[in-house]
Amino acid sequence: MVIYVAMAILSYKHIRLYFWKNMGHYTQNMISSPLSPGISVIAPAYNEGLTIIDNVYALMHLNYPLYEVIIINDGSTDDTLDKLIEHFALKDVDLPYHERIKTLPVKRFFRSSDKAYEKLLVIDKENGKGKADASNAGINASKYDYFLCTDVDCILHEDTLSRLMRPILDEKSRNQLDDIQVIPDTGYIHVEDNQRRVIAVGAPLRMINSSDVDNGVITRFRPPNKILPRFQELEYIRAYLLSKMAWSALNCVPNVSGGLGLFDKHIAVKVGGYDPRSFAEDIDMVTRMSVYMIQNNKRYAIRYIPVSLCWTEGPQNLKVFSRQRVRWARGLVQIMRLHWHVLFNTKFKRLGMVVFPYNFLFEFLAPILELTGFIFYIYLIVIGAINWVNTLTLLCFLYMFSVMISSIAVLWDQLTERHYRKTSEVIGLCLTAFAEPFIYHPLIVFFSLKGYVQSMFRQKLVWGNMQRKGFSSSNTKGTSSST
């Protein structure tokens, strides 16, 4: 409870500081500047024929002076590639391809014969059984020093690149001021070895379910109508605006989401990119990047900004939601197993003494402790060792505290950007917090424990198809899927 209150205060201060820096003026300067660093936007696609054209259009119309869009067709079995070739007039090209990160074979490269789409590159490769292998192929083919990794079914804000690049440029400007030292009789010199490097930047993800989309642009934001995506929307707001913004203020960000993250390509390549064997490739790569920087005595930072820049379609049924959360749980087990040496290790500084201990105690152990506590509670009831007055008072207090924390997160979201037009939509989202402890949270605990058990017995993970409703300007309904 103390940690949650501290996070709420820290996140609020960090959000206010972010907007105090006059974001709009700065963003416009960056958009118009020819000196802005180049960015490669990497988006793997598997069986996304339903929405692929809208998705690519959205990526092609970002407000940034220098970027490329790399779509990786990861062995799709539907008409994803055919639609891309036909709609964007794609032709086979020879591309100098340096495989700095090992991937499954790449078959072909495509570029458009229409100059309007000259920044688009499409890669056709064998299916890598997950997003990681396709993303690594995109990194290999990218030509700029920074890359943005996203999902092709996501809708990005038009200013995504400029806003994510800002923390990197801010840090560079700060380094130039801090690293100027006065040397007697010689004036000023610039000490480069002491510069802190921003290796990754993230921003909140939100649910696009029930929102209106026209040609890859969201024209009307709405909270999801269905109960499961609605719970996820509340969870995402709380996780990003309360938790990760607070960790960003302390430079202790545990991970940058695979749905939207800007990365320093040099460091990502040094650590081998995404690991295709990992069930949580985004956390794993950020951890390896952090370990690399610490072991090489390099100062680094991972930042989050409070502005929602990415919208994705959340699972709408328990079957798909279960697969997602079981995979996340198994990914967390992998992270703890592979990087166990970091936990409580002073050599890894904040990563070893803050980030990993928090993840271990409050993320990894939480479902186990909750189940143990629940069983012990039943035992106390059976033997008659419960003081019901104190018990009910404590439970009511904890229940209202959880509702308060979720409501504060929604309030912070409204202070950041008013996505929802109607007050009733905001109130409705807050009311969802009253049902979350009884419906959504038990599901999270159950699927986490299921993932732990599968990991313990080394069961094969079935990725399956993440069925989506899809969206298009013509309001056509169907399904799309991704691994």
Side-chain angles (χ1 to χ4, degrees):
M1 290 172 63
V2 171
I3 291 175
Y4 266 117
V5 171
M7 281 184 169
I9 296 172
L10 271 175
S11 62
Y12 176 75
K13 290 184 176 181
H14 207 47
I15 290 170
R16 290 293 300 271
L17 178 63
Y18 178 83
F19 284 101
W20 178 77
K21 292 181 177 180
N22 194 2
M23 180 183 60
H25 177 70
Y26 191 100
T27 300
Q28 291 303 318
N29 288 342
M30 189 184 300
I31 291 173
S32 60
S33 173
L35 301 178
S36 298
I39 301 174
S40 299
V41 179
I42 297 172
Y46 175 77
N47 287 358
E48 301 287 352
L50 178 66
T51 60
I52 189 64
I53 303 303
D54 276 345
N55 297 142
V56 175
Y57 266 123
L59 296 177
M60 294 285 289
H61 291 87
L62 300 175
N63 287 338
Y64 197 75
L66 186 63
Y67 77 99
E68 62 177 344
V69 175
I70 303 176
I71 305 297
I72 304 95
N73 179 53
D74 194 28
S76 296
T77 57
D78 67 351
D79 59 351
T80 298
L81 183 60
D82 293 334
K83 281 188 174 181
L84 287 170
I85 292 174
E86 179 181 359
H87 193 89
F88 294 103
L90 300 180
K91 304 293 183 183
D92 276 276
V93 296
D94 291 327
L95 185 77
Y97 182 72
H98 179 37
E99 195 177 51
R100 291 164 290 188
I101 305 172
K102 185 68 176 177
T103 69
L104 289 181
V106 172
K107 300 177 181 178
R108 295 177 292 175
F109 300 94
F110 297 92
R111 286 200 182 275
S112 177
S113 57
D114 188 339
K115 289 190 176 181
Y117 309 122
E118 61 183 357
K119 65 180 66 173
L120 176 64
L121 171 66
V122 175
I123 302 174
D124 183 30
K125 64 177 291 294
E126 291 185 8
N127 182 260
K129 305 299 182 182
K131 180 182 175 183
D133 193 73
S135 298
N136 288 338
I139 295 172
N140 288 335
S142 64
K143 62 182 179 181
Y144 295 123
D145 292 334
Y146 296 94
F147 69 89
L148 176 84
C149 195
T150 185
D151 295 322
V152 76
D153 62 297
C154 290
I155 297 295
L156 303 186
H157 189 281
E158 59 183 5
D159 292 332
T160 294
L161 300 184
S162 55
R163 292 183 177 182
L164 288 178
M165 182 56 71
R166 175 176 179 173
I168 295 174
L169 298 184
D170 280 351
E171 195 65 48
K172 287 184 177 181
S173 299
R174 189 178 299 112
N175 286 332
Q176 290 174 358
L177 293 176
D178 292 344
D179 292 343
I180 295 293
Q181 297 183 0
V182 179
I183 305 299
D185 302 325
T186 61
Y188 296 86
I189 64 169
H190 185 220
V191 182
E192 296 184 353
D193 292 340
N194 198 36
Q195 288 191 1
R196 181 164 58 183
R197 188 169 185 165
V198 177
I199 60 174
V201 184
L205 273 70
R206 303 290 286 272
M207 296 294 106
I208 200 174
N209 307 60
S210 303
S211 294
D212 297 336
V213 180
D214 185 14
N215 288 325
V217 178
I218 303 176
T219 56
R220 172 73 163 89
F221 296 101
R222 291 187 181 90
N225 291 326
K226 292 193 174 182
I227 188 65
L228 196 55
R230 196 179 188 88
F231 280 132
Q232 294 172 71
E233 173 80 343
L234 184 62
E235 178 190 24
Y236 277 34
I237 292 174
R238 186 173 59 241
Y240 286 106
L241 287 180
L242 233 66
S243 179
K244 290 189 178 179
M245 285 305 300
W247 288 131
S248 182
L250 299 174
N251 193 18
C252 292
V253 175
N255 76 297
V256 173
S257 172
L260 180 71
L262 182 66
F263 298 93
D264 185 315
K265 187 173 76 173
H266 176 75
I267 305 301
V269 170
K270 282 285 187 182
V271 301
Y274 293 99
D275 186 353
R277 299 166 297 178
S278 176
F279 302 139
E281 68 279 352
D282 50 353
I283 306 177
D284 177 66
M285 188 177 78
V286 170
T287 300
R288 285 185 284 111
M289 291 174 72
S290 301
V291 168
Y292 171 83
M293 296 297 286
I294 294 170
Q295 290 179 335
N296 287 274
N297 297 317
K298 297 178 181 293
R299 298 173 63 207
Y300 76 98
I302 301 173
R303 299 299 188 201
Y304 254 86
I305 64 174
V307 183
S308 298
L309 300 175
C310 178
W311 286 261
T312 184
E313 189 172 349
Q316 301 192 66
N317 61 71
L318 275 179
K319 183 178 180 180
V320 177
F321 182 72
S322 170
R323 285 201 299 262
Q324 182 194 68
R325 296 308 167 113
V326 166
R327 179 169 63 88
W328 289 6
R330 296 189 63 171
L332 184 58
V333 173
Q334 278 187 331
I335 297 299
M336 290 299 160
R337 185 188 300 133
L338 291 174
H339 304 286
W340 183 257
H341 64 287
V342 175
L343 184 64
F344 295 115
N345 190 336
T346 56
K347 293 181 180 179
F348 292 98
K349 304 176 182 179
R350 299 183 188 186
L351 181 67
M353 299 306 295
V354 179
V355 177
F356 258 69
Y358 182 86
N359 282 343
F360 178 71
L361 295 173
F362 296 100
E363 299 291 342
F364 176 72
L365 287 184
I368 300 173
L369 293 177
E370 287 191 50
L371 177 63
T372 305
F374 182 73
I375 295 173
F376 187 65
Y377 231 79
I378 295 176
Y379 168 73
L380 292 178
I381 293 174
V382 171
I383 66 173
I386 291 288
N387 183 323
W388 285 107
V389 174
N390 290 343
T391 297
L392 293 176
T393 301
L394 178 61
L395 289 176
C396 288
F397 177 74
L398 294 175
Y399 172 66
M400 294 309 299
F401 180 82
S402 69
V403 172
M404 181 192 71
I405 288 296
S406 296
S407 300
I408 288 175
V410 175
L411 174 61
W412 277 198
D413 179 53
Q414 286 299 104
L415 292 176
T416 303
E417 282 190 309
R418 295 174 180 263
H419 291 297
Y420 306 128
R421 296 178 184 175
K422 298 180 180 179
T423 304
S424 60
E425 294 175 341
V426 179
I427 294 175
L429 196 58
C430 290
L431 291 176
T432 305
F434 285 88
E436 185 181 15
F438 303 107
I439 302 174
Y440 188 68
H441 186 71
L443 290 175
I444 297 295
V445 174
F446 174 76
F447 294 140
S448 296
L449 292 172
K450 182 179 178 181
Y452 292 174
V453 172
Q454 288 185 3
S455 293
M456 185 184 304
F457 292 99
R458 301 186 182 277
Q459 294 182 20
K460 183 178 180 181
L461 179 68
V462 179
W463 289 69
N465 289 334
M466 297 298 178
Q467 297 297 323
R468 300 189 181 93
K469 179 181 177 182
F471 49 83
S472 68
S473 55
S474 59
N475 295 322
T476 302
K477 295 184 179 181
T479 59
S480 66
S481 59
S482 69
T483 54

